[in-house]
Amino acid sequence: MVKRQCLFGTFLTTKVPGRHFLFPESWRKGVKMTDANRQSGEKEERIIEIEIERLRPFKEHPFQVKDDKEMFLLQESIEKYGILNPLIVRPVPDGYYEIISGHRRKHAAEKLGYRKVPVIIRVLSEDDSILSMVDSNLHRERISYSEKAFAYKLKNDVLKRKSGRKKSQVDHKKTRKRSIDIISEDCGDSPKQVQRYISLTKLIPEMLQKLDDEIISFCPAVEIAALKENEQRELLKAMDYAQAIPSLSQAQRIKQLSKEKQLSLEKMEEIMCEVKKGEITRVAFTNEQLHKYFPNSYTPAMMKREILALLKLWKKESWES
């Protein structure tokens, strides 16, 4: 084992057949690099380039990487100016690096044919890397309900673990802040709103997708999240049967029936078929009337989506031009 000086301080290098390992000297001593370590004498951070194939996504990354309009604009920017903000990564075994911040930049660069990307390497514990990953992504301009929900839950779990560690005699009498309050201060949502977001992680994937697609509103979704998994699936059937989306009051009544162990598919269908206030004069079509204009494979939900999309286009061309 040989010591080597590197941009990031003293590293130990060792070779075994077919392998070459490089890791911080502090790891041998069981010490993780923190801001305090850097201030007390470690070399300051530098930007280096690393091969894309050596990068791995964060294993609990809740933020989606999509080939959408924002990704197209990011690719255009990188193609024109390069990667202006380096990725933040941390070393993991076998010579790889786990991305803490920069999954979208890495994806865009990969599509453009980049073989290397600029990174800053930070040696972080598991919990600290989660906090850094969440905080670096939560302030993005566009973030879905599900991304925010799982990000808040990850951060909440880490903060609870940290606060649960043995207190020293010095801070034994100090009142510790709740993890929910810390997240609230860091992210701008009220503690109650943070709790609502975290509750959304109990939604089944199909229901969560309807929330992200803004088919279901936020407040009804929070109430639905209190239902058991099988009850949520039954509610999906009731929604499809009635071709309706639950209002807040309907979701609250369904939740109450669940608490009283009186919830059934029939009762949910009955609630979902109610005419909501303001819908007394609603326009209604039968499936037979609509199927003349759609393929046989189209479900009522698919037909509704297509009709709304066509109406939106018609409004834009006829009224807004």
Side-chain angles (χ1 to χ4, degrees), residues 280-308:
I280 304 298
T281 57
R282 65 181 177 177
V283 178
F285 296 95
T286 65
N287 288 350
E288 288 182 359
Q289 289 175 311
L290 294 176
H291 266 307
K292 293 188 294 184
Y293 305 100
F294 294 95
N296 292 332
S297 59
Y298 266 50
T299 64
M302 293 167 69
M303 289 190 288
K304 182 177 179 180
R305 259 198 315 270
E306 290 288 341
I307 291 168
L308 289 174

Short mmCIF file of all heavy atoms in Angstrom, two decimals, residues 280-308:
data_model
loop_
_atom_site.label_atom_id
_atom_site.label_comp_id
_atom_site.label_asym_id
_atom_site.label_seq_id
_atom_site.Cartn_x
_atom_site.Cartn_y
_atom_site.Cartn_z
N ILE A 280 -74.62 20.44 -11.76
CA ILE A 280 -76.03 20.13 -12.01
C ILE A 280 -76.35 20.20 -13.50
O ILE A 280 -77.11 19.41 -14.03
CB ILE A 280 -76.95 21.11 -11.23
CG1 ILE A 280 -76.62 21.07 -9.74
CG2 ILE A 280 -78.40 20.77 -11.47
CD1 ILE A 280 -76.84 19.73 -9.09
N THR A 281 -75.73 21.14 -14.18
CA THR A 281 -75.99 21.30 -15.62
C THR A 281 -74.83 20.77 -16.46
O THR A 281 -74.56 21.27 -17.53
CB THR A 281 -76.21 22.79 -15.94
OG1 THR A 281 -75.05 23.54 -15.52
CG2 THR A 281 -77.43 23.33 -15.23
N ARG A 282 -74.13 19.79 -15.95
CA ARG A 282 -72.95 19.28 -16.65
C ARG A 282 -73.35 18.60 -17.97
O ARG A 282 -74.47 18.08 -18.11
CB ARG A 282 -72.18 18.30 -15.78
CG ARG A 282 -72.92 17.04 -15.43
CD ARG A 282 -72.07 16.14 -14.55
NE ARG A 282 -72.83 14.94 -14.17
CZ ARG A 282 -72.32 13.96 -13.44
NH1 ARG A 282 -71.07 14.03 -13.02
NH2 ARG A 282 -73.06 12.91 -13.14
N VAL A 283 -72.41 18.54 -18.89
CA VAL A 283 -72.61 17.86 -20.17
C VAL A 283 -72.17 16.41 -20.01
O VAL A 283 -71.09 16.14 -19.50
CB VAL A 283 -71.79 18.54 -21.28
CG1 VAL A 283 -71.96 17.80 -22.59
CG2 VAL A 283 -72.19 20.00 -21.42
N ALA A 284 -72.99 15.48 -20.44
CA ALA A 284 -72.66 14.06 -20.31
C ALA A 284 -72.87 13.35 -21.64
O ALA A 284 -73.77 13.67 -22.41
CB ALA A 284 -73.54 13.41 -19.24
N PHE A 285 -71.97 12.38 -21.93
CA PHE A 285 -72.06 11.57 -23.14
C PHE A 285 -72.05 10.10 -22.72
O PHE A 285 -71.41 9.73 -21.74
CB PHE A 285 -70.87 11.81 -24.07
CG PHE A 285 -70.80 13.20 -24.62
CD1 PHE A 285 -70.02 14.17 -24.00
CD2 PHE A 285 -71.49 13.55 -25.77
CE1 PHE A 285 -69.94 15.45 -24.50
CE2 PHE A 285 -71.41 14.83 -26.29
CZ PHE A 285 -70.64 15.79 -25.65
N THR A 286 -72.73 9.28 -23.45
CA THR A 286 -72.67 7.83 -23.20
C THR A 286 -71.45 7.28 -23.94
O THR A 286 -70.96 7.87 -24.91
CB THR A 286 -73.93 7.13 -23.71
OG1 THR A 286 -74.00 7.24 -25.14
CG2 THR A 286 -75.18 7.72 -23.08
N ASN A 287 -70.98 6.12 -23.49
CA ASN A 287 -69.85 5.47 -24.16
C ASN A 287 -70.18 5.14 -25.61
O ASN A 287 -69.32 5.21 -26.50
CB ASN A 287 -69.44 4.20 -23.41
CG ASN A 287 -68.75 4.52 -22.10
OD1 ASN A 287 -68.41 5.67 -21.84
ND2 ASN A 287 -68.55 3.50 -21.26
N GLU A 288 -71.43 4.77 -25.87
CA GLU A 288 -71.84 4.42 -27.23
C GLU A 288 -71.70 5.61 -28.17
O GLU A 288 -71.27 5.49 -29.32
CB GLU A 288 -73.29 3.93 -27.24
CG GLU A 288 -73.46 2.55 -26.63
CD GLU A 288 -74.90 2.09 -26.70
OE1 GLU A 288 -75.75 2.85 -27.21
OE2 GLU A 288 -75.18 0.96 -26.25
N GLN A 289 -72.06 6.80 -27.66
CA GLN A 289 -71.94 8.00 -28.48
C GLN A 289 -70.49 8.29 -28.83
O GLN A 289 -70.17 8.72 -29.95
CB GLN A 289 -72.54 9.20 -27.73
CG GLN A 289 -74.05 9.17 -27.62
CD GLN A 289 -74.58 10.30 -26.76
OE1 GLN A 289 -74.09 10.54 -25.65
NE2 GLN A 289 -75.57 11.03 -27.27
N LEU A 290 -69.58 8.07 -27.88
CA LEU A 290 -68.18 8.44 -28.08
C LEU A 290 -67.40 7.38 -28.85
O LEU A 290 -66.46 7.72 -29.58
CB LEU A 290 -67.51 8.68 -26.72
CG LEU A 290 -68.03 9.89 -25.93
CD1 LEU A 290 -67.37 9.96 -24.58
CD2 LEU A 290 -67.80 11.19 -26.71
N HIS A 291 -67.76 6.11 -28.71
CA HIS A 291 -66.98 5.05 -29.35
C HIS A 291 -67.01 5.14 -30.88
O HIS A 291 -66.15 4.55 -31.55
CB HIS A 291 -67.49 3.67 -28.89
CG HIS A 291 -66.72 3.14 -27.72
ND1 HIS A 291 -65.35 3.03 -27.71
CD2 HIS A 291 -67.15 2.69 -26.51
CE1 HIS A 291 -64.96 2.53 -26.55
NE2 HIS A 291 -66.03 2.33 -25.80
N LYS A 292 -67.97 5.87 -31.44
CA LYS A 292 -68.02 6.05 -32.90
C LYS A 292 -66.79 6.79 -33.41
O LYS A 292 -66.42 6.68 -34.57
CB LYS A 292 -69.29 6.81 -33.30
CG LYS A 292 -70.58 6.05 -33.06
CD LYS A 292 -71.77 6.78 -33.64
CE LYS A 292 -72.02 8.10 -32.91
NZ LYS A 292 -73.26 8.77 -33.41
N TYR A 293 -66.15 7.57 -32.50
CA TYR A 293 -65.04 8.43 -32.92
C TYR A 293 -63.68 7.95 -32.42
O TYR A 293 -62.66 8.61 -32.65
CB TYR A 293 -65.29 9.85 -32.40
CG TYR A 293 -66.63 10.40 -32.84
CD1 TYR A 293 -67.72 10.40 -31.96
CD2 TYR A 293 -66.81 10.90 -34.13
CE1 TYR A 293 -68.96 10.89 -32.36
CE2 TYR A 293 -68.05 11.39 -34.54
CZ TYR A 293 -69.13 11.39 -33.64
OH TYR A 293 -70.34 11.87 -34.04
N PHE A 294 -63.65 6.80 -31.74
CA PHE A 294 -62.39 6.30 -31.19
C PHE A 294 -62.22 4.82 -31.50
O PHE A 294 -63.21 4.11 -31.73
CB PHE A 294 -62.37 6.49 -29.66
CG PHE A 294 -62.34 7.94 -29.23
CD1 PHE A 294 -63.52 8.60 -28.92
CD2 PHE A 294 -61.14 8.63 -29.15
CE1 PHE A 294 -63.51 9.93 -28.52
CE2 PHE A 294 -61.11 9.95 -28.75
CZ PHE A 294 -62.29 10.61 -28.43
N PRO A 295 -60.99 4.33 -31.52
CA PRO A 295 -60.77 2.89 -31.72
C PRO A 295 -61.44 2.08 -30.61
O PRO A 295 -61.63 2.57 -29.49
CB PRO A 295 -59.24 2.75 -31.64
CG PRO A 295 -58.72 4.12 -31.93
CD PRO A 295 -59.74 5.08 -31.41
N ASN A 296 -61.78 0.83 -30.89
CA ASN A 296 -62.46 -0.02 -29.91
C ASN A 296 -61.62 -0.25 -28.66
O ASN A 296 -62.15 -0.55 -27.59
CB ASN A 296 -62.81 -1.38 -30.54
CG ASN A 296 -63.89 -1.23 -31.60
OD1 ASN A 296 -64.72 -0.32 -31.55
ND2 ASN A 296 -63.87 -2.13 -32.59
N SER A 297 -60.30 -0.15 -28.82
CA SER A 297 -59.41 -0.42 -27.69
C SER A 297 -59.39 0.71 -26.67
O SER A 297 -58.87 0.55 -25.57
CB SER A 297 -57.98 -0.66 -28.19
OG SER A 297 -57.51 0.49 -28.92
N TYR A 298 -59.96 1.88 -27.02
CA TYR A 298 -59.92 3.03 -26.12
C TYR A 298 -60.84 2.83 -24.92
O TYR A 298 -62.01 2.46 -25.07
CB TYR A 298 -60.33 4.31 -26.86
CG TYR A 298 -59.16 5.10 -27.41
CD1 TYR A 298 -58.18 4.46 -28.17
CD2 TYR A 298 -59.04 6.46 -27.19
CE1 TYR A 298 -57.11 5.18 -28.69
CE2 TYR A 298 -57.98 7.19 -27.70
CZ TYR A 298 -57.01 6.53 -28.46
OH TYR A 298 -55.96 7.24 -28.96
N THR A 299 -60.28 3.07 -23.73
CA THR A 299 -61.10 3.05 -22.51
C THR A 299 -61.76 4.42 -22.34
O THR A 299 -61.33 5.40 -22.97
CB THR A 299 -60.23 2.75 -21.27
OG1 THR A 299 -59.30 3.85 -21.10
CG2 THR A 299 -59.48 1.44 -21.43
N PRO A 300 -62.78 4.53 -21.47
CA PRO A 300 -63.39 5.83 -21.22
C PRO A 300 -62.37 6.89 -20.77
O PRO A 300 -62.46 8.05 -21.18
CB PRO A 300 -64.40 5.53 -20.11
CG PRO A 300 -64.79 4.12 -20.35
CD PRO A 300 -63.54 3.44 -20.81
N ALA A 301 -61.41 6.47 -19.94
CA ALA A 301 -60.40 7.42 -19.47
C ALA A 301 -59.55 7.94 -20.62
O ALA A 301 -59.21 9.13 -20.69
CB ALA A 301 -59.52 6.77 -18.41
N MET A 302 -59.19 7.05 -21.56
CA MET A 302 -58.39 7.45 -22.73
C MET A 302 -59.18 8.41 -23.62
O MET A 302 -58.64 9.39 -24.14
CB MET A 302 -57.96 6.21 -23.51
CG MET A 302 -56.97 5.33 -22.75
SD MET A 302 -56.75 3.70 -23.51
CE MET A 302 -55.89 4.11 -25.01
N MET A 303 -60.48 8.12 -23.81
CA MET A 303 -61.31 9.01 -24.63
C MET A 303 -61.41 10.39 -24.00
O MET A 303 -61.33 11.41 -24.69
CB MET A 303 -62.71 8.40 -24.81
CG MET A 303 -62.73 7.17 -25.71
SD MET A 303 -64.40 6.62 -26.15
CE MET A 303 -64.97 5.95 -24.60
N LYS A 304 -61.58 10.42 -22.68
CA LYS A 304 -61.68 11.69 -21.98
C LYS A 304 -60.42 12.52 -22.15
O LYS A 304 -60.47 13.72 -22.42
CB LYS A 304 -61.95 11.43 -20.49
CG LYS A 304 -62.12 12.70 -19.66
CD LYS A 304 -62.44 12.36 -18.21
CE LYS A 304 -62.59 13.62 -17.38
NZ LYS A 304 -62.90 13.29 -15.96
N ARG A 305 -59.25 11.85 -22.04
CA ARG A 305 -57.97 12.55 -22.22
C ARG A 305 -57.86 13.15 -23.61
O ARG A 305 -57.42 14.29 -23.79
CB ARG A 305 -56.82 11.57 -21.97
CG ARG A 305 -56.18 11.71 -20.58
CD ARG A 305 -54.79 11.07 -20.52
NE ARG A 305 -54.71 9.77 -21.13
CZ ARG A 305 -54.91 8.62 -20.50
NH1 ARG A 305 -55.28 8.62 -19.25
NH2 ARG A 305 -54.78 7.47 -21.14
N GLU A 306 -58.22 12.35 -24.62
CA GLU A 306 -58.12 12.82 -26.01
C GLU A 306 -59.06 14.00 -26.26
O GLU A 306 -58.70 14.98 -26.92
CB GLU A 306 -58.46 11.68 -26.97
CG GLU A 306 -57.42 10.57 -27.01
CD GLU A 306 -56.15 11.00 -27.71
OE1 GLU A 306 -56.17 12.00 -28.45
OE2 GLU A 306 -55.11 10.35 -27.49
N ILE A 307 -60.28 13.92 -25.73
CA ILE A 307 -61.26 15.00 -25.93
C ILE A 307 -60.77 16.29 -25.30
O ILE A 307 -60.84 17.37 -25.91
CB ILE A 307 -62.64 14.59 -25.34
CG1 ILE A 307 -63.25 13.46 -26.17
CG2 ILE A 307 -63.59 15.78 -25.29
CD1 ILE A 307 -64.45 12.81 -25.54
N LEU A 308 -60.26 16.20 -24.08
CA LEU A 308 -59.76 17.40 -23.40
C LEU A 308 -58.56 18.00 -24.15
O LEU A 308 -58.43 19.22 -24.25
CB LEU A 308 -59.37 17.07 -21.96
CG LEU A 308 -60.55 16.78 -21.02
CD1 LEU A 308 -60.04 16.32 -19.66
CD2 LEU A 308 -61.43 18.02 -20.86
#
